[in-house]
Amino acid sequence: MLTISQAAKETGLSVKSIRHYEEIGLITPPRGANDYRYYPEALIKQLHFIKSTKDAGFNLKESRALLQLCENKTRSSGDVKAIALQKIEELQARIEQQQILLNRLKTITEQCHGDAEPCCPIIDAFAK
């Protein structure tokens, strides 16, 4: 069993994040006789899972749903796939929006001479 600081180091999460997950009921670490939290291997695996889902772009609500499905041995892989497909759609929409912003910024940047003159199409575009 690990302490919270050891669990943070092991999982790559911050102590603050782990405490937050406990506060919102995402995890429930057992407490010892001295009322300290202890993190057994099963809980460390949950924390790794949560970190992996966060790294993949899932929010905490989605991570909770995936964690519940992970722990449910009678789960339907279709339920898991539906969550993943929804996230793919969201990420694709964000990528498309970011691409639009990137293209706009490239366009106005290309119009700027980048010389010593005060006239700047970049500033002009933002000032509209």
Side-chain angles (χ1 to χ4, degrees), residues 12-54:
L13 293 165
S14 68
V15 168
K16 183 178 178 179
S17 291
I18 295 172
R19 284 192 179 127
H20 177 67
Y21 300 158
E22 181 181 0
E23 287 171 11
I24 64 171
L26 189 57
I27 60 166
T28 308
R31 295 192 180 252
N34 57 7
D35 205 34
Y36 288 127
R37 297 172 190 91
Y38 288 100
Y39 297 82
E41 185 60 32
L43 195 51
I44 297 301
K45 286 181 180 181
Q46 287 180 343
L47 290 170
H48 276 293
F49 186 90
I50 294 165
K51 180 162 188 330
S52 293
T53 59
K54 280 184 53 186

